[in-house]
Amino acid sequence: EPPQRHPTTTNVLPSAESRLARSGGRSRRPDETVSADTSSPRDHTARNTALRSLCEAAAANIPGVDFASITLHDKDGTLSTVAATDHLAEMTDALQYELAEGPCYAAVTDERWVLVNDVAASTEFPHYAPRAVELGIRTQAAIQLISNGQRAGLNLYALSARAFDRSTVQVAELFATQAAATLQYVEQVEQLSE
């Protein structure tokens, strides 16, 4: 069994009984992606395809996750969503960038792992939490990814409170490792194409 890591959390991880059913009335649109136009169209498409596929796999395979996104922390300090499985993830990411607060923001600027298993009860993010709840976000996790010294974050969202348990944390750690490797590979391909 791999060593246990202790994510930053505002609530203790609950049992698996509170996981969100995947078939609930969510609007998941895996064909949507938001990113900066900083590369050629061919590179842009390859990067977006790889990162979108990674997000789709995270949403489909990490227990309790309804949708996911990847945030990139550019060298100039700006944050951008480079892949998302749902428009709600894009909106929630943008809210965190605007407020400079939230699990996603914390993961790409400071913390390694941030878990808020009940956003409505969170006091850690006083400006973000009420607005996230208005959008329907009830559980959120963000994992910092580092690739060639550049920070990024894998953001995981659920529409029910306490949707994430220990298995979520374990599988998310595996996805974070894969996401960092994917980011590094995509960056290398982009550099070779220049």
Side-chain angles (χ1 to χ4, degrees):
E1 183 172 309
Q4 293 288 325
R5 292 196 176 140
H6 302 284
T8 300
T9 182
T10 57
N11 296 297
V12 176
L13 292 173
S15 68
E17 70 186 37
S18 64
R19 289 185 194 160
L20 179 64
R22 293 203 179 277
S23 62
R26 65 191 159 125
S27 64
R28 189 168 159 200
R29 298 190 320 225
D31 60 317
E32 292 188 23
T33 302
V34 174
S35 69
D37 287 322
T38 58
S39 58
S40 73
R42 181 174 47 108
D43 296 337
H44 183 77
T45 301
R47 177 184 62 210
N48 286 350
T49 299
L51 296 176
R52 187 177 59 240
S53 294
L54 184 72
C55 281
E56 290 170 358
N61 294 292
I62 299 175
V65 174
D66 285 314
F67 45 91
S69 67
I70 294 178
T71 295
L72 199 59
H73 188 196
D74 292 324
K75 292 175 183 163
D76 67 1
T78 60
L79 302 176
S80 60
T81 299
V82 294
T85 62
D86 191 284
H87 182 65
L88 185 54
E90 296 168 4
M91 291 177 15
T92 308
D93 289 354
L95 175 62
Q96 291 170 88
Y97 309 155
E98 173 190 328
L99 297 173
E101 179 182 290
C104 162
Y105 183 85
V108 297
T109 59
D110 188 34
E111 301 291 325
R112 163 76 177 99
W113 234 111
V114 181
L115 172 65
V116 180
N117 228 352
D118 187 349
V119 174
S122 173
T123 58
E124 187 174 3
F125 305 109
H127 302 288
Y128 167 73
R131 293 189 56 193
V133 169
E134 287 175 10
L135 293 173
I137 305 300
R138 297 297 187 265
T139 301
Q140 185 176 347
I143 308 148
Q144 185 180 98
L145 313 172
I146 298 180
S147 176
N148 294 331
Q150 186 173 23
R151 286 186 185 179
L154 176 61
N155 308 306
L156 308 172
Y157 297 97
L159 298 174
S160 69
R162 296 172 200 67
F164 299 162
D165 63 11
R166 293 198 187 284
S167 65
T168 303
V169 173
Q170 292 169 344
V171 176
E173 282 287 339
L174 295 173
F175 269 89
T177 301
Q178 183 62 40
T182 300
L183 278 171
Q184 184 172 3
Y185 174 74
V186 167
E187 289 170 3
Q188 289 173 349
V189 169
E190 287 178 346
Q191 288 173 359
L192 291 172
S193 299
E194 290 179 353

